[in-house]
Amino acid sequence: MYCSLFAPHQALADPLLARLPDDADGAHDLAHLVRVWRNVQRIAAEEGGDRELLLAATVLHDGVHVAKNDSRRSQASRLAAEQARKILSSLGWQTSRIDMVAHAIEAHSFSARIAPQTLEARVLQDADRLDALGALGVARCFYTAGQMGNALYDPFDPQAHERALDDQRFTLDHFKTKLLTLREGFQTATGQQLAAQRHARLLAFREALLEEIGEAPVR
């Protein structure tokens, strides 16, 4: 069904994908999982890591969907880790390896604020956060904001010079509250290099948008 989207570990991916729920949104769907896996492969090629553990953690890391504006948002990665434990246990995985996958899933989330303790957890966190940067980060940001009914920006004060930032109302504010801060938190050297490139794309988009609405960009 999924062809070779998760090559060269498709045989491992298939039974995991079959157990995922169907309620993922467009920012956390199959395409997102494929992109994160490609990021994982790119980072792991330089940094190392157990590919089987990384594949399982990648496929299952968003296994429980919690909306961005849900009060349980900070618990999403823990819920996904619990689900991953059940799935991998049913497939006969060793407890020690299940624990490693679960930790990587728990630690990947920005909102969970759990420090990654293993190489696999660091690789997955970097791979997932790369998808929140660059052109894809822009696309996902505005997609999610549209789902929540947010405005593009505050027409009276787009850059929040005289008001508090509020990314629950204004999408452009999310660049300052989160997206433009992500580059500093990358765990691996390879992830840091890739993040710097995508960070520059975020800045370029923000500056272009501000110019088009008649604002002088202020970093």
Side-chain angles (χ1 to χ4, degrees), residues 31-45 47 54-55 57-59 61-62 104 107-109 116 119-133 136-137 140 182 185-188 190-192 194-195 198:
H32 169 65
L33 298 183
V34 173
R35 293 193 302 269
V36 173
W37 174 238
R38 290 172 180 167
N39 292 339
V40 162
Q41 290 180 297
R42 190 169 181 180
I43 296 170
E47 308 289 340
L54 285 167
L55 184 283
T58 298
V59 172
H61 80 277
D62 282 333
H108 91 273
S109 170
L119 175 58
E120 289 77 19
R122 291 191 288 273
V123 170
L124 178 65
Q125 187 183 98
D126 281 4
D128 184 66
R129 291 190 183 183
L130 279 174
D131 209 46
L133 295 174
L136 284 164
R140 295 177 73 213
L182 291 177
F186 276 71
Q187 302 288 321
T188 67
T190 305
Q192 290 167 9
L194 296 172
R198 298 195 184 195

Side-chain angles (χ1 to χ4, degrees), residues 9 12 49-57 84-85 88-89 92-105 118 120:
H9 298 288
L12 172 61
D50 185 309
R51 301 307 197 273
E52 183 181 66
L53 295 178
L54 285 167
L55 184 283
R85 287 182 183 278
L88 295 176
S89 178
W93 278 50
Q94 295 178 351
T95 301
S96 60
R97 293 180 68 75
I98 293 175
D99 289 342
M100 293 181 72
V101 172
H103 169 65
I105 292 173
T118 65
E120 289 77 19

Side-chain angles (χ1 to χ4, degrees), residues 145 149-154 163 166-173:
N150 293 354
L152 296 180
Y153 57 89
D154 179 359
R163 63 174 175 83
D166 184 359
D167 61 2
Q168 296 298 305
R169 295 179 62 199
F170 307 116
T171 310
L172 186 60
D173 286 15

